Amino acid sequence: MRQDLVVIKLGGASLLDPATRDQVVKTVRDYRRYDYDVVLVHGGGPAINAELTKRNISWSFINGQRVTSVEMINVIENVLFGQINAELVAALNEGGVPAIGLSGAKNNLLHCKQASAELGQVGLVESVNAEFVQALIAPEKNVVPVIAPIGIGEDAELFNINADWAAAKIASALKAKKLIFLTDQNGILDQDKKLIEHTDYVQLQQLINDGTVSGGMYTKVLTVVDALVHGVSQVRILRGTQAYDGLWSDYVGTMCKSSEVNYV
């Protein structure tokens, strides 16, 4: 039985870089070598943008989350699960890491309700089928689940889930020790655009409240706070190309830990 669980979220922009994908494969392989279970969650924003553009479908974002119409959701599912997920699983398998591709909807993993009427078919995760994932990482199967962030509603409707939120909810449900966000940025920046190397729940709340973080990083920081509050002891945000360095050093990217404050 492995000692701890790591959930890694790979951003869609990072997936465009073959070198980053190689780093991810190497990082996952070494985490497993040192007795960690690994679950991978991925995004796919740039690839989704390209496919929507090809189909002459316009889109917009609100606080880093894509407004999703019914017309768009099937396109998004096809890109995330049919394309990106399959490529990532193939890269892991070729790199000696046994992996299996999963859809949060098709595999009944991510149960959602609509986040808001304004966002359309964007899902708010209400529950995670943790037992299904735990069975895959158990010694009997011992594979790395690679999860596309598509959710399912109570009437079997599909929802687009922000991949950061999907990763945070999965990490909390699985009681992960670490949650790692691999992005196209160095980490969280302060008001002077300097990297924040170490932070906690209290400072993260301040960054949210004073508007220091915005756009995609605003949503990401919200998910970090949520994960820390719900039992994940350590969250890292770092550039995808530094994934392997982050395995060995606490001084790569931004390290987020819960403080001693009691949260209600």
Side-chain angles (χ1 to χ4, degrees):
M1 188 70 177
R2 298 181 188 273
Q3 59 178 5
D4 283 306
L5 172 68
V6 179
V7 174
I8 299 175
K9 185 267 177 171
L10 181 58
S14 299
L15 286 163
L16 297 177
D17 180 13
T20 298
R21 190 149 54 188
D22 291 343
Q23 282 266 314
V24 171
V25 172
K26 185 178 179 183
T27 303
V28 172
R29 188 169 58 231
D30 269 29
Y31 263 122
R32 285 168 55 84
R33 185 175 296 162
Y34 289 95
D35 278 341
Y36 282 88
D37 286 314
V38 180
V39 173
L40 198 59
V41 181
H42 65 84
I48 292 169
N49 291 346
E51 186 62 28
L52 291 175
T53 298
K54 187 188 300 184
R55 295 170 183 248
N56 293 317
I57 301 174
S58 61
W59 72 89
S60 62
F61 288 87
I62 297 175
N63 288 328
Q65 298 206 70
R66 185 189 302 272
V67 178
T68 304
S69 66
V70 174
E71 178 188 24
M72 291 164 59
I73 190 64
N74 288 324
V75 176
I76 291 172
E77 183 188 34
N78 288 337
V79 171
L80 286 177
F81 187 58
Q83 177 186 328
I84 294 173
N85 190 280
E87 292 173 357
L88 198 47
V89 169
L92 288 162
N93 287 333
E94 289 168 10
V97 178
I100 183 171
L102 303 172
S103 159
K106 282 185 169 63
N107 296 102
N108 203 30
L109 292 178
L110 301 173
H111 300 272
C112 298
K113 67 177 182 181
Q114 187 182 46
S116 72
E118 186 178 34
L119 288 170
Q121 291 302 113
V122 170
L124 181 67
V125 178
E126 293 190 295
S127 65
V128 176
N129 187 349
E131 293 79 9
F132 184 90
V133 180
Q134 287 164 340
L136 293 173
I137 62 178
E140 294 77 14
K141 292 188 180 293
N142 192 26
V143 298
V144 173
V146 181
I147 303 174
I150 299 292
I152 189 166
E154 63 178 357
D155 295 320
E157 67 272 39
L158 297 180
F159 286 104
N160 178 25
I161 305 172
N162 176 278
D164 292 337
W165 274 113
K169 294 300 185 182
I170 289 168
S172 299
L174 293 172
K175 299 179 172 56
K177 182 176 182 179
K178 298 181 181 182
L179 170 59
I180 301 172
F181 291 98
L182 300 180
T183 74
D184 57 356
Q185 302 179 55
N186 291 329
I188 302 174
L189 306 181
D190 64 18
Q191 289 181 323
D192 298 320
K193 304 303 179 185
K194 294 181 179 179
L195 178 68
I196 300 172
E197 292 185 347
H198 291 82
T199 186
D200 62 14
Y201 171 94
V202 174
Q203 185 182 13
L204 290 172
Q205 285 284 32
Q206 290 172 345
L207 295 173
I208 294 168
N209 294 339
D210 65 19
T212 298
V213 291
S214 60
M217 189 56 74
Y218 171 83
T219 297
K220 200 177 301 294
V221 171
L222 286 178
T223 68
V224 171
V225 169
D226 189 83
L228 292 174
V229 169
H230 290 96
V232 178
S233 58
Q234 181 189 118
V235 184
R236 302 280 298 277
I237 300 176
L238 64 155
R239 188 174 289 275
T241 52
Q242 296 179 294
Y244 194 70
D245 295 333
L247 175 63
W248 303 109
S249 172
D250 287 348
Y251 295 92
V252 178
T254 301
M255 169 80 77
C256 310
K257 293 185 177 181
S258 57
S259 65
E260 297 302 317
V261 177
N262 291 319
Y263 312 123
V264 294

